[in-house]
Amino acid sequence: MAGTAPAPGGRSRPGRTPEVEGRGTDVNVRRRAPDVFDAHTHAIARVAAPVALGLVYGFWVAANSRHGGPVTGWNLLLGFASALVSAVLGAALLKLAPRMRREVHALLWAAFVGCAFGFAYSQTHKTVLRSVLMSLAVSAATFAVFFYRYYTQEDAYGRRVR
């Protein structure tokens, strides 16, 4: 029949069975959501995401540095150097931070985002005090958001709860 509902405990897709965490017929058994992309796609994304975000960040720094003036060689060098440093640090953070406890994990991301924002903001030639205060505010907000996320989604050792 075209309009019948699937049987309880049946397979959701032909040829694939849902992965179940735990054993037995316990009421608290949870099913994992199906993974949309394969391992190869995730491996590419682990490299491509920091590179793409690094290039956007480098463009942002270079644009702030030139103040709407002509593009110079030094401006391009600053942009590409900023992109390279940002991409490498972002990739390292994506690799190392999940191994840390949730407080340190959130602190590392807050420090990275705060320093990146502070450097980009300093290229606008505002005062050093204003750059520091703005980056501290961005760091504090980032820490609050990331700590809340990790506190509600992980146990004290960094293992995902859900």
Side-chain angles (χ1 to χ4, degrees), residues 79-95:
F80 282 118
S82 300
L84 178 68
V85 169
S86 172
V88 168
L89 289 177
L93 202 54
L94 283 173
K95 185 75 172 169

Side-chain angles (χ1 to χ4, degrees), residues 106 109-111 113-114 133-149:
W109 277 110
V113 170
L133 291 177
M134 292 291 287
S135 66
L136 285 176
V138 169
S139 289
T142 303
F143 178 77
V145 169
F146 276 66
F147 182 76
Y148 175 77
R149 184 202 182 274

Side-chain angles (χ1 to χ4, degrees), residues 22-104:
R23 302 227 184 260
T25 59
D26 189 2
V27 176
N28 295 327
V29 172
R30 297 183 315 188
R31 294 182 186 271
R32 274 188 19 191
D35 200 5
V36 178
F37 300 111
D38 63 351
H40 181 68
T41 305
H42 284 284
I44 291 172
R46 269 191 292 278
V47 173
V51 169
L53 291 174
L55 287 172
V56 169
Y57 179 74
F59 176 75
W60 182 32
V61 168
N64 283 349
S65 174
R66 67 184 177 93
H67 302 288
V71 176
T72 64
W74 291 112
N75 186 256
L76 288 174
L77 180 64
L78 175 66
F80 282 118
S82 300
L84 178 68
V85 169
S86 172
V88 168
L89 289 177
L93 202 54
L94 283 173
K95 185 75 172 169
L96 297 176
R99 298 179 184 169
M100 307 294 174
R101 294 186 56 171
R102 60 185 172 205
E103 297 86 2
V104 178

Side-chain angles (χ1 to χ4, degrees), residues 118-130:
F119 178 70
Y121 192 78
S122 72
Q123 296 302 310
T124 62
H125 296 299
K126 302 289 184 188
T127 64
V128 174
L129 179 63
R130 184 174 172 104

